[in-house]
Amino acid sequence: MSYYTAMPVVAIIGGGFSGAAVALHLVENGRAGKPARVVVFEPRDILGAGLAYDTHEPAHRINVPAARMSLYPDDPGSFQRWIDDTHVLADDPEAIMTAEQAFPRRQAFGTYVHDTLAPYIADGRIEHRQATVVGLARSGATWRLSGSDGRDLVADIVVLAVSHPAPALPSQLKPLAGHPRLVADPTARDALDVIRADDRVLIVGNGLTSADVVAALTQRGHQGPILSVSRRGLRSRGHSAIAHEPVGDFLSPPSRTASQLLRCIRIELRAARRLGLGWQPVLDAVRAQGQQIWKALPVVERQRIARHIRPFWDAHRFRVAPQVEAVLDGAIEAGRLEILAASLSFSARTGDEIGIGLKLRRRNVFREVTVDAVVVTTGPSHGGILRSQPFLSALQNEGLLAACATGLGIACDDQSRALDASGNIVPALYIAGPLARGTFGELMGLPQVTEHAVFVAGQVGDALERSASTGRVKAGTAG
Ligand SMILES: Cc1cc2nc3c(=O)[nH]c(=O)nc-3n(C[C@H](O)[C@H](O)[C@H](O)COP(=O)(O)OP(=O)(O)OC[C@H]3O[C@@H](n4cnc5c(N)ncnc54)[C@H](O)[C@@H]3O)c2cc1C
């Protein structure tokens, strides 16, 4: 077999925030022994927006203040400076809550990421291939990617950054399939257009996407009643009025069990209360130390957290922007929005009307409601990621990819290298973004996703350096 020192190829599958950030840090950190060709496969028009920030809905706002959303962990002010330079908030005065806190529309953040990558796309150091990867196969020491545009690419290293699969339709709602006002994926563009101003709406799920839906419907002038249900009836919380530094040390020493961790959090919450602080700075400390906390826990305790504590964690960790919180509070006060702890027991259609059976959590009684529209906001089905796309299923069937033990994503090691069905490292295949959180713990909020992208870029850079020092890069990287 012949070898020559051609430019190595790094293919990144998925150009949402994670894929874009890995590409950026790969070309900027200069750790590669020699330049690499960086090709990002992403069917969307721009790199960097992905599911979260590719939205033109004005009611969709970032839920972390702009000053903490950055492509650079060591430069948290990068997005804020871009905002100041571009005057992007000139037509969005509602974005600014206080002098220090702005919560711009999510689309603005996607544009910031894309603008930051633009010079590298222009000079060819990052290639945006606007196609979906439909096949990925091991080919000797390299990978062969097949794109939906009919073109193949042979790559030396592949980074998988496909993060959020479409939500799964709860089985109780299957009888509604085909109903014009069943919104199974509210993140799809203009998905809420089918809902009329006076429609009675059932929202399934009470997290951030549910809050987004209420805010977007309100913005469109919707006036009908909205019932939002989830098993525990926990709604996403807001930020504290005054920003405060994180409070609490959960690492000296780290907890070894889920219940020990909960006890430590409760102790810190009581201490914070005595100091007149809210719960937010304590949960911020848990979030900031989340990856070390997670690493110290045995797998069985991680599973316990994923199964039992996650809904509470999600409701406190994911916070709604103050503007969205105000809309929710207003809707509840006006009696337009009801939040209920209940599970679905059945659904049925009579003509255009939808009947829904609910089992209420507290009293264990049933309630039947009639609505005109149902919106599913149970969130991306991360547990089903390997069944969400044929090329991922094929890799799983070959034993090259495996679900992680916590059911939160794809199995990988602590260098973010994919692990096969037997737990062995799959050469030159990395997992970037939230799908790696079974190994890394808290990896959903932007600050942690950014840090992880920098880490993955460093790992890929090191691998390129190693391959450069051997002077042997596999031939056949054209594509
Ligand atoms: C609705 C929503 C709002 C959020 N808001 C905030 C926020 O305000 N603040 C915060 O801190 N965090 C927020 N988050 C969390 C966090 O910022 C995101 O999870 C993060 O952006 C993850 O980005 P990603 O690139 O890993 O995933 P994704 O955004 O899912 O990007 C994956 C990309 O891969 C592409 N893709 C998929 N399959 C293929 C394929 N076969 N070939 C090629 N491309 C493919 C998709 O088109 C997509 O663009 C939000 C998350 C969501 C879901």
Side-chain angles (χ1 to χ4, degrees):
M1 186 163 289
S2 68
Y3 290 90
Y4 64 91
T5 49
M7 198 191 283
V9 176
V10 178
I12 300 176
I13 306 179
F17 179 79
S18 296
V22 171
L24 177 77
H25 289 287
L26 196 53
V27 297
E28 281 194 346
N29 74 9
R31 288 173 69 183
K34 56 182 183 162
R37 188 178 160 203
V38 179
V39 184
V40 187
F41 285 80
E42 170 57 58
R44 295 176 200 265
D45 292 340
I46 63 167
L47 291 185
L51 181 71
Y53 311 105
D54 183 13
T55 163
H56 61 212
E57 199 63 66
H60 288 172
R61 294 191 175 275
I62 58 168
N63 55 33
V64 171
R68 283 176 33 214
M69 303 260 299
S70 171
L71 268 164
Y72 301 96
D74 50 4
D75 179 13
S78 155
F79 178 39
Q80 185 63 55
R81 275 200 309 281
W82 178 88
I83 290 173
D84 297 339
D85 291 349
T86 56
H87 306 289
V88 71
L89 300 188
D91 69 341
D92 183 19
E94 275 180 38
I96 298 162
M97 297 307 292
T98 65
E100 310 90 58
Q101 295 204 326
F103 291 85
R105 293 171 181 146
R106 289 214 292 274
Q107 190 181 38
F109 185 77
T111 310
Y112 149 74
V113 180
H114 178 258
D115 277 6
T116 311
L117 263 72
Y120 302 110
I121 297 173
D123 72 14
R125 275 189 279 173
I126 296 175
E127 289 173 45
H128 176 191
R129 187 165 295 183
Q130 205 173 351
T132 301
V133 168
V134 293
L136 176 64
R138 198 87 187 124
S139 164
T142 57
W143 292 97
R144 177 170 291 276
L145 295 95
S146 309
S148 56
D149 54 1
R151 292 156 67 203
D152 281 7
L153 176 78
V154 176
D156 300 278
I157 294 178
V158 172
V159 179
L160 200 50
V162 295
S163 300
H164 300 305
L169 187 67
S171 58
Q172 299 88 340
L173 297 181
K174 295 256 157 80
L176 303 182
H179 189 287
R181 272 173 288 285
L182 169 66
V183 180
D185 182 2
T187 62
R189 195 162 276 246
D190 301 324
L192 298 180
D193 284 359
V194 294
I195 298 181
R196 301 159 300 192
D198 293 318
D199 276 346
R200 297 158 292 178
V201 178
L202 172 78
I203 301 180
V204 181
N206 259 325
L208 285 187
T209 311
S210 166
D212 274 352
V213 168
V214 176
L217 286 176
T218 306
Q219 174 114 24
R220 288 152 182 251
H222 177 263
Q223 285 165 1
I226 303 175
L227 175 63
S228 188
V229 300
S230 66
R231 263 188 219 128
R232 292 179 180 77
L234 298 169
R235 67 172 264 206
S236 291
R237 313 295 195 86
H239 294 265
S240 48
I242 300 165
H244 202 285
E245 288 301 305
V247 169
D249 172 10
F250 300 96
L251 298 173
S252 323
S255 302
R256 300 291 298 167
T257 66
S259 47
Q260 199 185 349
L261 176 61
L262 274 183
R263 262 197 309 279
C264 292
I265 295 174
R266 285 199 188 104
I267 290 170
E268 290 292 350
L269 284 171
R270 279 197 291 273
R273 209 173 303 133
R274 281 197 296 276
L275 294 171
L277 297 173
W279 51 269
Q280 288 92 340
V282 177
L283 272 292
D284 287 345
V286 178
R287 179 168 160 165
Q289 296 159 37
Q291 300 201 354
Q292 291 106 303
I293 294 172
W294 190 255
K295 275 188 185 148
L297 291 165
V299 170
V300 63
E301 295 297 325
R302 295 180 187 181
Q303 287 168 328
R304 206 161 273 159
I305 289 176
R307 208 173 316 125
H308 302 296
I309 303 176
R310 198 173 141 213
F312 298 95
W313 174 239
D314 283 353
H316 291 85
R317 177 267 308 262
F318 292 133
R319 298 191 196 141
V320 286
Q323 298 89 336
V324 176
E325 189 181 23
V327 173
L328 294 183
D329 289 346
I332 292 171
E333 217 165 277
R336 198 165 70 79
L337 170 64
E338 183 186 0
I339 292 178
L340 208 58
S343 47
L344 299 174
S345 59
F346 70 85
S347 67
R349 23 181 325 184
T350 318
D352 251 10
E353 285 197 330
I354 299 170
I356 299 283
L358 297 170
K359 188 171 166 218
L360 306 194
R361 182 178 171 87
R362 287 210 184 281
R363 283 161 285 153
N364 212 11
V365 291
F366 287 89
R367 174 171 157 190
E368 244 181 274
V369 294
T370 304
V371 294
D372 307 294
V374 173
V375 186
V376 181
T377 68
T378 45
S381 168
H382 293 114
I385 182 71
L386 294 177
R387 294 186 302 278
S388 68
Q389 301 196 40
F391 88 95
L392 294 173
S393 304
L395 288 168
Q396 183 183 29
N397 293 342
E398 285 170 52
L400 281 175
L401 282 181
C404 69
T406 51
L408 295 172
I410 299 178
C412 63
D413 73 353
D414 58 10
Q415 292 177 40
S416 235
R417 296 175 295 192
L419 295 175
D420 68 16
S422 313
N424 300 314
I425 293 161
V426 181
L429 181 60
Y430 292 82
I431 310 297
L435 290 174
R437 67 197 160 134
T439 302
F440 291 90
E442 175 51 33
L443 185 41
M444 187 58 79
L446 209 281
Q448 284 73 36
V449 177
T450 307
E451 283 166 15
H452 189 252
V454 173
F455 174 77
V456 172
Q459 297 300 313
V460 172
D462 287 349
L464 289 171
E465 217 162 64
R466 281 194 299 275
S467 72
S469 67
T470 63
R472 281 159 45 108
V473 174
K474 196 88 193 280
T477 51

PDB file of all heavy atoms in Angstrom, residues 1-16:
ATOM      1  N   MET A   1       0.844  -1.206   0.000  1.00  0.00           N
ATOM      2  CA  MET A   1       0.000   0.000   0.000  1.00  0.00           C
ATOM      3  C   MET A   1       0.881   1.258   0.000  1.00  0.00           C
ATOM      4  O   MET A   1       1.895   1.301   0.675  1.00  0.00           O
ATOM      5  CB  MET A   1      -0.877  -0.012   1.245  1.00  0.00           C
ATOM      6  CG  MET A   1      -1.879   1.115   1.260  1.00  0.00           C
ATOM      7  SD  MET A   1      -3.204   0.803   2.443  1.00  0.00           S
ATOM      8  CE  MET A   1      -4.076  -0.515   1.620  1.00  0.00           C
ATOM      9  N   SER A   2       0.538   2.258  -0.766  1.00  0.00           N
ATOM     10  CA  SER A   2       1.401   3.437  -0.854  1.00  0.00           C
ATOM     11  C   SER A   2       0.900   4.559   0.062  1.00  0.00           C
ATOM     12  O   SER A   2      -0.294   4.737   0.244  1.00  0.00           O
ATOM     13  CB  SER A   2       1.423   3.934  -2.300  1.00  0.00           C
ATOM     14  OG  SER A   2       0.158   4.440  -2.630  1.00  0.00           O
ATOM     15  N   TYR A   3       1.851   5.278   0.633  1.00  0.00           N
ATOM     16  CA  TYR A   3       1.513   6.403   1.496  1.00  0.00           C
ATOM     17  C   TYR A   3       2.219   7.648   0.989  1.00  0.00           C
ATOM     18  O   TYR A   3       3.299   7.584   0.438  1.00  0.00           O
ATOM     19  CB  TYR A   3       1.987   6.139   2.926  1.00  0.00           C
ATOM     20  CG  TYR A   3       1.201   5.054   3.612  1.00  0.00           C
ATOM     21  CD1 TYR A   3       1.614   3.730   3.525  1.00  0.00           C
ATOM     22  CD2 TYR A   3       0.046   5.358   4.314  1.00  0.00           C
ATOM     23  CE1 TYR A   3       0.898   2.738   4.144  1.00  0.00           C
ATOM     24  CE2 TYR A   3      -0.681   4.369   4.948  1.00  0.00           C
ATOM     25  CZ  TYR A   3      -0.248   3.059   4.853  1.00  0.00           C
ATOM     26  OH  TYR A   3      -0.967   2.081   5.464  1.00  0.00           O
ATOM     27  N   TYR A   4       1.624   8.795   1.166  1.00  0.00           N
ATOM     28  CA  TYR A   4       2.320  10.049   0.904  1.00  0.00           C
ATOM     29  C   TYR A   4       1.797  11.068   1.900  1.00  0.00           C
ATOM     30  O   TYR A   4       0.769  10.862   2.541  1.00  0.00           O
ATOM     31  CB  TYR A   4       2.099  10.502  -0.541  1.00  0.00           C
ATOM     32  CG  TYR A   4       0.664  10.832  -0.875  1.00  0.00           C
ATOM     33  CD1 TYR A   4       0.175  12.128  -0.726  1.00  0.00           C
ATOM     34  CD2 TYR A   4      -0.202   9.835  -1.352  1.00  0.00           C
ATOM     35  CE1 TYR A   4      -1.143  12.423  -1.039  1.00  0.00           C
ATOM     36  CE2 TYR A   4      -1.511  10.132  -1.665  1.00  0.00           C
ATOM     37  CZ  TYR A   4      -1.975  11.428  -1.514  1.00  0.00           C
ATOM     38  OH  TYR A   4      -3.274  11.713  -1.819  1.00  0.00           O
ATOM     39  N   THR A   5       2.531  12.160   2.053  1.00  0.00           N
ATOM     40  CA  THR A   5       2.151  13.132   3.069  1.00  0.00           C
ATOM     41  C   THR A   5       1.204  14.174   2.488  1.00  0.00           C
ATOM     42  O   THR A   5       1.579  15.305   2.224  1.00  0.00           O
ATOM     43  CB  THR A   5       3.388  13.800   3.676  1.00  0.00           C
ATOM     44  OG1 THR A   5       4.213  14.225   2.593  1.00  0.00           O
ATOM     45  CG2 THR A   5       4.139  12.869   4.590  1.00  0.00           C
ATOM     46  N   ALA A   6      -0.036  13.748   2.229  1.00  0.00           N
ATOM     47  CA  ALA A   6      -1.061  14.681   1.756  1.00  0.00           C
ATOM     48  C   ALA A   6      -1.661  15.387   2.965  1.00  0.00           C
ATOM     49  O   ALA A   6      -1.400  15.026   4.103  1.00  0.00           O
ATOM     50  CB  ALA A   6      -2.139  13.906   1.022  1.00  0.00           C
ATOM     51  N   MET A   7      -2.454  16.417   2.695  1.00  0.00           N
ATOM     52  CA  MET A   7      -3.095  17.107   3.802  1.00  0.00           C
ATOM     53  C   MET A   7      -4.152  16.197   4.416  1.00  0.00           C
ATOM     54  O   MET A   7      -5.011  15.669   3.702  1.00  0.00           O
ATOM     55  CB  MET A   7      -3.751  18.384   3.280  1.00  0.00           C
ATOM     56  CG  MET A   7      -4.042  19.364   4.390  1.00  0.00           C
ATOM     57  SD  MET A   7      -5.074  20.716   3.842  1.00  0.00           S
ATOM     58  CE  MET A   7      -3.950  21.711   2.961  1.00  0.00           C
ATOM     59  N   PRO A   8      -4.090  15.954   5.722  1.00  0.00           N
ATOM     60  CA  PRO A   8      -5.099  15.075   6.307  1.00  0.00           C
ATOM     61  C   PRO A   8      -6.475  15.725   6.276  1.00  0.00           C
ATOM     62  O   PRO A   8      -6.592  16.956   6.238  1.00  0.00           O
ATOM     63  CB  PRO A   8      -4.615  14.891   7.753  1.00  0.00           C
ATOM     64  CG  PRO A   8      -3.702  16.032   8.018  1.00  0.00           C
ATOM     65  CD  PRO A   8      -3.132  16.467   6.708  1.00  0.00           C
ATOM     66  N   VAL A   9      -7.493  14.892   6.292  1.00  0.00           N
ATOM     67  CA  VAL A   9      -8.869  15.402   6.223  1.00  0.00           C
ATOM     68  C   VAL A   9      -9.590  15.098   7.534  1.00  0.00           C
ATOM     69  O   VAL A   9      -9.593  13.957   8.005  1.00  0.00           O
ATOM     70  CB  VAL A   9      -9.636  14.733   5.057  1.00  0.00           C
ATOM     71  CG1 VAL A   9     -11.096  15.195   5.035  1.00  0.00           C
ATOM     72  CG2 VAL A   9      -8.972  15.058   3.731  1.00  0.00           C
ATOM     73  N   VAL A  10     -10.170  16.145   8.107  1.00  0.00           N
ATOM     74  CA  VAL A  10     -11.042  15.967   9.271  1.00  0.00           C
ATOM     75  C   VAL A  10     -12.460  16.255   8.800  1.00  0.00           C
ATOM     76  O   VAL A  10     -12.741  17.351   8.294  1.00  0.00           O
ATOM     77  CB  VAL A  10     -10.665  16.936  10.415  1.00  0.00           C
ATOM     78  CG1 VAL A  10     -11.624  16.764  11.593  1.00  0.00           C
ATOM     79  CG2 VAL A  10      -9.229  16.724  10.861  1.00  0.00           C
ATOM     80  N   ALA A  11     -13.348  15.271   8.943  1.00  0.00           N
ATOM     81  CA  ALA A  11     -14.748  15.485   8.547  1.00  0.00           C
ATOM     82  C   ALA A  11     -15.575  15.626   9.822  1.00  0.00           C
ATOM     83  O   ALA A  11     -15.466  14.809  10.739  1.00  0.00           O
ATOM     84  CB  ALA A  11     -15.246  14.296   7.731  1.00  0.00           C
ATOM     85  N   ILE A  12     -16.370  16.660   9.866  1.00  0.00           N
ATOM     86  CA  ILE A  12     -17.238  16.876  11.020  1.00  0.00           C
ATOM     87  C   ILE A  12     -18.675  16.681  10.537  1.00  0.00           C
ATOM     88  O   ILE A  12     -19.107  17.343   9.584  1.00  0.00           O
ATOM     89  CB  ILE A  12     -17.033  18.291  11.613  1.00  0.00           C
ATOM     90  CG1 ILE A  12     -15.571  18.452  12.047  1.00  0.00           C
ATOM     91  CG2 ILE A  12     -17.993  18.538  12.777  1.00  0.00           C
ATOM     92  CD1 ILE A  12     -15.200  19.834  12.575  1.00  0.00           C
ATOM     93  N   ILE A  13     -19.367  15.755  11.171  1.00  0.00           N
ATOM     94  CA  ILE A  13     -20.751  15.484  10.745  1.00  0.00           C
ATOM     95  C   ILE A  13     -21.673  16.270  11.664  1.00  0.00           C
ATOM     96  O   ILE A  13     -21.798  15.971  12.856  1.00  0.00           O
ATOM     97  CB  ILE A  13     -21.078  13.979  10.809  1.00  0.00           C
ATOM     98  CG1 ILE A  13     -20.051  13.177  10.021  1.00  0.00           C
ATOM     99  CG2 ILE A  13     -22.496  13.726  10.290  1.00  0.00           C
ATOM    100  CD1 ILE A  13     -20.279  11.664  10.058  1.00  0.00           C
ATOM    101  N   GLY A  14     -22.316  17.299  11.123  1.00  0.00           N
ATOM    102  CA  GLY A  14     -23.177  18.179  11.909  1.00  0.00           C
ATOM    103  C   GLY A  14     -22.488  19.506  12.131  1.00  0.00           C
ATOM    104  O   GLY A  14     -21.438  19.560  12.768  1.00  0.00           O
ATOM    105  N   GLY A  15     -23.066  20.561  11.599  1.00  0.00           N
ATOM    106  CA  GLY A  15     -22.486  21.910  11.744  1.00  0.00           C
ATOM    107  C   GLY A  15     -23.400  22.801  12.550  1.00  0.00           C
ATOM    108  O   GLY A  15     -23.616  23.955  12.213  1.00  0.00           O
ATOM    109  N   GLY A  16     -23.961  22.248  13.641  1.00  0.00           N
ATOM    110  CA  GLY A  16     -24.652  23.099  14.611  1.00  0.00           C
ATOM    111  C   GLY A  16     -23.592  23.796  15.443  1.00  0.00           C
ATOM    112  O   GLY A  16     -22.437  23.946  15.003  1.00  0.00           O
TER     113      GLY A  16
END
